[in-house]
Every structure is written in C-alpha cells, then in structure tokens.
Amino acid sequence: MTADRPAERGAGVVAVEPKILPRVLCLVMAMLSLVVGVASGLARLGTAVPDLAAGLAGWHAALMICAFFGTVIGLERAVALAHPAAYAGPLASGLGGLALLLHLPLAWAQALFILASLVLVGGAIAVTRRQLALFTLTLAVGAACWLAGNVAWAASGLLQAAIPWWLAFLVVTIAGERLELTRFLPARREAPPLFRIAVGTILVGAATTIWFSSGGLVLFAAGLGALSMWLLRYDIARHNAGQRGLVRYIALCLLSGYAWLATGAVIGLAGGFEPAHPLRDAALHAITLGFVFAMVFGHAPIIFPAIARVRIPYHPVFYLPLALLHVSLAARIAGTALGDAGVLLRLGGVANAVALVAFIVTMLASVLRGRRSGKR
C-alpha cells in the first residue's frame, strides 16, 4: 500500500494537488469504521463493548474490509491518480460505513460499497491502459475481487459469500504493490510465472467456493500459501531487513506479515476457512490482523504523509505496537486452537485492539514530533 506510486506517475498520471479536505473527510470516516469495527469484533468474542458496536457485531467484516480498508486503499489510489473523480470511490465506501453505523437500510451500504469498488476498478483500468505491466494488472484484479465480493454479498444477502473475495482483494492488492518494487532487484525468470500461478490459484479458489465450498476454500488456502512463499522469496524486504532505521522497520513488518499469511494458509488447508470450523477465527485473523495490519504498520509512515501532508519521522518505538500485535495474535490463535474461548482467545482479542490503539497513538505522537521539529 504505497501512495504516490512512481510507476503510476510515469504512466501518464498528471500530478495535480487536490484540496486536503476530501482526504481528511475520507480518513475520518475510515477511522470511525475502524474503531467501531474493532469494537464489534470484540463483541463477537464476548467482550463488553458499547451498544453501538455490539449491535454491529454481525457487520464486523464489512466495517473492517469495505468501510476501512476499502476507503484507505481507494483514497491512496485517488491521491496517486490525482483526478477529482477518483475521490468518489473512498467517499462512497466511507459513506457506506456510516450507513452501517447509523443502521440505515442494508441495501444503501451495499450499493455504496459496490459504487466504491467500481470506481477503484475504473481507476485501475485507467492505470493499466497507461502502463501495461504485471503489477498494474494485479492491482486491477485485486480491485475486481472487491467488486465481486460486494456483488456476491448484495446478491445472496450472505457475508460468507463475500469473504473469500474480500480477502483476495486485500491480499492480491498488497501483492501487486510489492510486485512493483521487485523491479529494483535483479530479474529472475521464474518469478513472474510463479506469481501468476499463485494469484490464479487464489482466484480460482474464491470463484469455486460458490459451487464447491470446501474444495474451493482449500484451493484458496493453497493459493495464499503459494503467494506467501513467493513474497518471502522474491520481495525486496529480504534485502532491506539488513538496513537501518525506517527501511529496516518496514522490511521486518513485511516479513512478519508474510509469515502470518503462510500461517493462515496452513490453517486454511486444514479446513479453517469453513464457516463452522473451530479454527476459522484463527485462519481469518492470521491473514487480516497478522498479514494485512503488519502491512499497514509498515507502510503508514509513507502513506499517511502522502495523503494528509504530515511528517511521520521514524522512531524505534514503532516496534512496540508491532510486537504487541504479533504476541497478542499468537495468544488469540493459541486460544482458538486450545478451545479456550473464554480466556486466552478473549484476552488475545483485547490485546489485538490495544495494539491497534498503540499504533495509532504512536503515529499521532510522531506527527506531533515532526511538526515540532519542522518549526525549528
């Protein structure tokens, strides 16, 4: 998730600086959905939360993936495209989250999420037409996965129908952005075909869940596992882990995230993606918390300055929320595996939320530090 992508600027995108207000508005809506989404997830674990969040426990996935990640990814893409129409996407997904928070008719939220994903797909197609490359095609496929999941949810009325597509949206989008950076490494002839096979397996697995649920979910997990191995082998993070400062921090965030993606894939191969499987919570959160949020932790010092025009200077304290995220997720998965839903699972879930709060506080403190140093 990198803002102001160099390849997209080189693909004919005109860098026109839009007003900051639309960006801030979208970020505020995304953060509201994140806060309530996290609280609703705690409610699902039996933790006492405010009534607003408890009443939205059934829409936890939609709040986190569509209203939060959909808005942030759409906003990042809008900043890179620098076209006013691109902001319709994150605005729509942000409003979709508000529709859920306000208990408006579900069809309103679903329609807004579909609109947001259509805008994201349109932007991805525009970039692909300017620069036809494997990474731009992958980003377009990731956007299409979000659209497919939103349509599946609206058509069936079941969130479960959307989950594999929504996970594919996040994973394939991140993989496409990481693929772009491999251009700075020596070319490896086998890397692109292996990447295509991994992503193709994910897509086929997600598609076949409609007719062959169990087999499709196992195939989906196999694709995730193959992609995790590809990222661990070919991503530039392996080379940057030996650097210092922010570069090393980002690399370690990425590598730890790839390990969690592999973990989620292994659990999925054991049936963990099945709706009633006892390891379902572990499989889903190894990917969404361990993989996706590790990417967020690593890229936030780059993305948010580009979106909000603030400085986020690096500090070693960045590692504390990251460590808490991994330790708490390990506890949560252990609680799931041991069937200890009353203690360890709930404790791990609460600690997950604390890790996210610690990360936000750390980023805000760094912004303030950057402002003070900028005034000197």
Side-chain angles (χ1 to χ4, degrees):
M1 302 177 186
T2 54
D4 291 334
R5 307 174 61 81
E8 290 177 350
R9 292 200 303 270
V13 176
V14 178
V16 178
E17 180 66 25
K19 293 182 179 179
I20 199 70
L21 182 60
R23 303 182 187 186
V24 174
L25 177 61
C26 291
L27 279 176
V28 168
M29 290 191 293
M31 293 306 297
L32 283 174
S33 292
L34 172 64
V35 170
V36 180
V38 170
S40 68
L42 293 177
R44 294 171 67 89
L45 297 178
T47 303
V49 297
D51 291 341
L52 170 64
L56 292 168
W59 308 125
H60 168 68
L63 286 168
M64 296 298 295
I65 297 177
C66 293
F68 175 64
F69 282 116
T71 301
V72 171
I73 293 173
L75 182 58
E76 174 226 338
R77 209 63 52 82
V79 171
L81 286 167
H83 193 288
Y87 286 87
L91 180 61
S93 55
L95 290 174
L98 288 182
L100 291 177
L101 297 181
L102 296 174
H103 296 281
L104 298 178
L106 181 60
W108 293 18
Q110 291 171 330
L112 286 164
F113 292 143
I114 289 174
L115 173 60
S117 54
L118 280 170
V119 173
L120 190 65
V121 169
I125 291 174
V127 170
T128 303
R129 292 178 62 184
R130 295 174 180 135
Q131 182 178 3
L132 183 60
L134 181 57
F135 78 87
T136 58
L137 288 170
T138 302
L139 292 174
V141 168
C145 287
W146 187 27
L147 175 60
N150 293 338
V151 171
W153 178 28
S156 67
L158 301 174
L159 271 179
Q160 174 54 36
I163 295 298
W165 290 112
W166 285 351
L167 292 178
F169 159 54
L170 297 176
V171 172
V172 172
T173 296
I174 293 170
E177 293 175 338
R178 299 311 304 169
L179 177 66
E180 177 185 1
L181 297 179
T182 61
R183 296 179 303 157
F184 299 102
L185 297 174
R188 295 181 179 271
R189 185 169 54 184
E190 77 279 7
L194 291 175
F195 183 88
R196 293 189 188 98
I197 291 171
V199 172
T201 304
I202 291 173
L203 298 177
V204 173
T208 54
T209 58
I210 301 174
W211 302 284
F212 311 104
S213 180
S214 297
L217 289 173
V218 170
L219 187 62
F220 179 75
L224 295 177
L227 186 59
S228 69
M229 295 298 103
W230 190 97
L231 290 166
L232 284 167
R233 176 66 180 86
Y234 296 107
D235 189 72
I236 196 173
R238 291 178 61 245
H239 300 267
N240 290 342
Q243 302 297 318
R244 296 180 179 180
L246 181 61
V247 174
R248 177 181 176 85
Y249 166 75
I250 293 174
L252 293 180
C253 285
L254 298 176
L255 292 173
S256 62
Y258 301 157
W260 279 118
L261 179 61
T263 301
V266 170
I267 299 173
L269 288 171
F273 289 129
E274 293 283 350
H277 199 281
L279 294 178
R280 179 174 169 82
D281 182 89
L284 294 179
H285 289 90
I287 295 170
T288 54
L289 276 172
F291 173 63
V292 179
F293 268 103
M295 302 299 108
V296 172
F297 281 25
H299 287 130
I302 301 173
I303 295 175
F304 290 124
I307 292 176
R309 295 296 179 234
V310 295
R311 292 183 63 241
I312 302 183
Y314 167 76
H315 192 279
V317 77
F318 285 9
Y319 282 101
L320 293 180
L322 179 66
L324 180 56
L325 176 72
H326 293 324
V327 171
S328 62
L329 181 56
R332 179 173 185 157
I333 291 178
T336 304
L338 297 173
D340 191 12
V343 181
L344 197 55
L345 175 60
R346 189 180 303 171
L347 179 63
V350 171
N352 293 156
V354 173
L356 298 183
V357 172
F359 167 71
I360 294 171
V361 171
T362 300
M363 290 297 105
L364 291 176
S366 185
V367 169
L368 294 176
R369 187 163 56 89
R371 286 183 175 178
R372 286 197 299 267
S373 63
K375 292 178 180 178
R376 293 173 184 171

